[in-house]
Amino acid sequence: MTDQADGRGAETLEVERKYEAGVELRLPDAEAFRAAGFEAGAPVVQQLSARYFDTPEGDLARRGFAVRSRHGGKDAGWHMKQRTEGGNRELLWPHGDEMPAELRREIEARIGVSPDRLVPIAALETRRTTVALRHDGREVVELADDRVRAREGATGVRRAWREWEAELLPGAGIGADAADPEGAALLDRVEAVLLAAGATPSLSFAKIARATGQLVAVARAKGASEELLAVLQRLDASDQRAARSLEP
């Protein structure tokens, strides 16, 4: 992390894996994690509320960036995330009603657009249950069980889904990116437990892309097969059905 005394955001590297979890699934219990070499802490429930911003043309998303304001949770505040091969690099600022001046400067410098052109593109409400996993006396992985409700800003389309995330913590002692062998080995062991519980690896690389129905477009731009595109289309349709089922 960097010092925020000069107004610059604290920087973190987010290395995580995402999984689809049906509504009927239960998080693995402490014994399942103990068998894989982890001690599981007590579950902690949080309510998160986030708004995401981009230009109407999607300039940030096209360059692999996301800007959001989040209430609730351990990292409440303003975030600027950049998707990289090694993980998500993230700058964080404390919460405030107005976008921090330093974040505005980062947007202009990195994306080349005026922050005044940013508009709300999605609102997400997430009920998050987290479990910290310890290994050799260190907290190394945070497991999050997220139940997400999203509303797309431009269209009003609503989506809902449940996902599990396994994220490496600073105590894992990982190297510079997701290719670090120790960190990857820890995530591999957690993944085995989650798959045994009924989860499946997620094709969604980011909540905001899923919330705005962009998973298919991104995959198509990367030359994905027709088979994969069809799977992603079914995933989006399922998310919209799930949201309708939750409406009063």
Side-chain angles (χ1 to χ4, degrees):
M1 285 190 178
T2 61
D3 190 352
Q4 288 182 301
D6 62 354
R8 181 173 175 79
E11 185 169 1
T12 65
L13 175 65
E14 181 183 72
V15 179
E16 65 182 14
R17 296 181 187 177
K18 292 176 177 286
Y19 303 88
E20 298 295 316
V23 294
E24 77 287 349
L25 289 188
R26 301 184 65 179
L27 279 173
D29 59 21
E31 187 56 40
F33 284 115
R34 189 172 295 117
F38 299 99
E39 289 297 326
V44 176
V45 179
Q46 303 167 324
Q47 189 65 38
L48 311 179
S49 178
R51 288 190 305 157
Y52 285 78
F53 301 85
D54 203 341
T55 66
E57 299 79 19
D59 291 286
L60 273 68
R62 193 159 46 247
R63 291 165 173 79
F65 286 90
V67 168
R68 74 182 175 199
S69 174
R70 172 186 277 174
H71 294 260
K74 64 181 181 180
D75 59 352
W78 287 88
H79 305 171
M80 182 179 192
K81 302 178 73 168
Q82 180 183 13
R83 190 169 63 252
T84 72
E85 290 297 327
N88 293 321
R89 295 198 174 274
E90 188 169 17
L91 289 172
L92 301 90
W93 290 266
H95 175 70
D97 292 337
E98 301 294 330
M99 184 181 295
E102 181 60 32
L103 173 54
R104 292 174 62 89
R105 288 191 286 270
E106 291 284 349
I107 292 169
E108 289 185 315
R110 297 192 185 205
I111 296 100
V113 300
S114 168
D116 293 333
R117 297 194 60 246
L118 269 59
V119 296
I121 59 169
L124 277 68
E125 298 291 334
T126 302
R127 185 178 186 274
R128 169 170 289 182
T129 301
T130 59
V131 175
L133 302 179
R134 301 179 68 87
H135 176 68
D136 290 339
R138 300 172 298 162
E139 286 192 353
V140 293
V141 174
E142 180 180 79
L143 176 62
D145 178 1
D146 287 347
R147 297 174 184 266
V148 185
R149 295 190 185 192
R151 181 181 185 277
E152 189 176 352
T155 65
V157 172
R158 297 181 183 273
R159 296 174 173 87
W161 68 91
R162 184 186 184 197
E163 66 183 22
W164 290 349
E165 294 180 349
E167 179 181 350
L168 288 174
L169 295 173
I174 62 171
D177 57 37
D180 177 79
E182 181 181 356
L186 288 169
L187 289 178
D188 285 345
R189 290 163 65 177
V190 173
E191 180 169 291
V193 177
L194 301 183
L195 297 183
T200 57
S202 179
L203 294 173
S204 171
F205 58 87
K207 281 185 173 67
I208 183 55
R210 190 165 184 170
T212 54
Q214 292 300 305
L215 293 177
V216 173
V218 172
R220 181 177 287 115
K222 293 183 177 180
S225 67
E226 290 300 320
E227 180 181 5
L228 177 57
L229 294 178
V231 171
L232 291 172
Q233 288 170 342
R234 290 195 294 272
L235 179 65
D236 187 59
S238 175
D239 289 350
Q240 294 186 49
R241 286 196 301 271
R244 289 193 293 272
S245 73
L246 296 172
E247 293 177 354

